[in-house]
Structure formats: C-alpha cells, structure tokens
Amino acid sequence: MIENKHNAVELLSDENNHLLQVKKKWNEENDLNRWENHYYEDNYNGNRLRARENKVLEILDNLNLPKKSKILELGYGAGITSAKIYSRGYNLTGIDISETLRHLAIKNCESLKNEKSGTYEFQIGNAEHLNFADNTFDCVIGLGFLQYLEHPEKCIEEVQRVLKPNGYFILTQRNMYRISSIDGPIKWTRS
C-alpha cells in the first residue's frame, strides 16, 4: 500500500514537471517571436502550417454550423487560426498553457473585430483537464498540440465529454515519421 502511494506521488510529480517544462517553453519571448515568424515564412514549414490551417478551416466551413455555434480551440497559440474562426461568426473559446500567447491571441482577434464576428475568450489551462460542463461545444479544434501533452488520451476523453451530441472534433497532428522528417534527427528520450 505504501509503495502505491509513493508511485502515485511520483506520477503526479512527473506530470507537474512535464507541465512546467511546457509552460516554460511557451512563455519564453524568444520562442514566441520565432513562432510567429516561422508561421509566415515562405518555406516548407511555414507553408505546411498554413496548409494545415486552411484544411481545418475548409472542414469547419463545410460543416455549415450555424453562426454563434460554440467552438473550442485547444492549443490556440498566437491566435492566428483563432482569429479566422472568430471572424466567421462563431463563439470561440480557447485553451492554452501560455499567458504570453493569450495576449497575442487577443491582439490577433481584436484586429479582425467587425459586426459579423462572433465572440472570443482565451483561457489558460490544460487540455487534459477541461473546466467546462458536459455537452458544451458544437465543435472542438486542435492543430498540432498533442505532442505537448503528458497524457493525450486524457485530452481525447475530455473532448468527448465537452462535445455536444453529434458534435465535431477536428484534429491535425504532425507525423514525426513522415518522409520529410527523414533528413532531420528524431529525438528519442530514454527513461
């Protein structure tokens, strides 16, 4: 019994350590500036990020959700995609781990504000523990954020919980085993 308690405390400690590392990464000003520039660069990575975003927005548009539908974006980052969702007339809520990114997301949405826009709210939180009631959202969107989670399966369970019946989950994720990654090093972590 004591050993189990020790393992549980150790597991919580590992999760907290992972969360702290992710928070640190996404609150460092140098990384944030690099991220915004990286997104807009005319190179493979910038083009890939924009193509992924365009595909998600195309899928969202094809759902024909009513205006003011409730959309949750997980890992909103600098709010570049968020602003485009918001400008389509949806009521957007975003969850991300970074206070610094929250400010950038607000700035990006403010720049697109018009009479057709929906609403937006950006929160600081963890996608593995969503602080929303069951059956809250019409659609949940996540672009390339799973690699930052300690337990992605908990996030998927939370998405299922907060989605309304017949709701939609749009998820994109980079594949580190894709052919274009062969020329770059793959990080392997040893426990």
Side-chain angles (χ1 to χ4, degrees), residues 50-66:
R50 289 188 303 278
R52 179 174 68 186
E53 175 194 67
N54 289 337
K55 190 63 175 173
V56 166
L57 293 173
E58 177 186 329
I59 291 168
L60 179 62
D61 291 342
N62 288 332
L63 294 177
N64 293 316
L65 294 172

Side-chain angles (χ1 to χ4, degrees), residues 127-153:
E128 296 175 21
H129 308 284
L130 298 173
N131 193 22
F132 303 106
D134 296 356
N135 308 317
T136 300
F137 295 98
D138 299 291
C139 184
V140 176
I141 296 174
L143 282 79
F145 74 100
L146 288 177
Q147 71 271 22
Y148 300 109
L149 301 178
E150 180 73 17
H151 302 287
E153 69 281 1

Side-chain angles (χ1 to χ4, degrees), residues 50-95:
R50 289 188 303 278
R52 179 174 68 186
E53 175 194 67
N54 289 337
K55 190 63 175 173
V56 166
L57 293 173
E58 177 186 329
I59 291 168
L60 179 62
D61 291 342
N62 288 332
L63 294 177
N64 293 316
L65 294 172
K67 297 299 179 204
K68 307 300 181 193
S69 291
K70 295 177 82 174
I71 309 288
L72 174 63
E73 184 181 10
L74 303 173
Y76 54 77
I80 296 166
T81 305
S82 307
K84 294 171 185 174
I85 295 168
Y86 156 71
S87 70
R88 284 168 161 74
Y90 297 117
N91 293 330
L92 174 69
T93 302
I95 298 292

Side-chain angles (χ1 to χ4, degrees), residues 6-20:
H6 176 69
N7 289 341
V9 170
E10 190 175 295
L11 188 63
L12 285 173
S13 175
D14 288 345
E15 284 183 28
N16 289 336
N17 186 36
H18 176 79
L19 192 59
L20 289 173

Side-chain angles (χ1 to χ4, degrees), residues 134-187:
D134 296 356
N135 308 317
T136 300
F137 295 98
D138 299 291
C139 184
V140 176
I141 296 174
L143 282 79
F145 74 100
L146 288 177
Q147 71 271 22
Y148 300 109
L149 301 178
E150 180 73 17
H151 302 287
E153 69 281 1
K154 287 182 182 178
C155 172
I156 304 301
E157 289 170 4
E158 282 290 272
V159 167
Q160 183 178 358
R161 182 183 65 75
V162 301
L163 267 176
K164 292 178 181 177
N166 299 314
Y168 300 94
F169 182 26
I170 305 171
L171 176 68
T172 67
Q173 190 60 43
R174 178 177 180 249
N175 178 355
M176 69 183 246
Y177 301 108
R178 72 190 191 287
I179 291 175
S180 62
S181 290
I182 290 175
D183 64 353
I186 296 176
K187 262 196 235 179

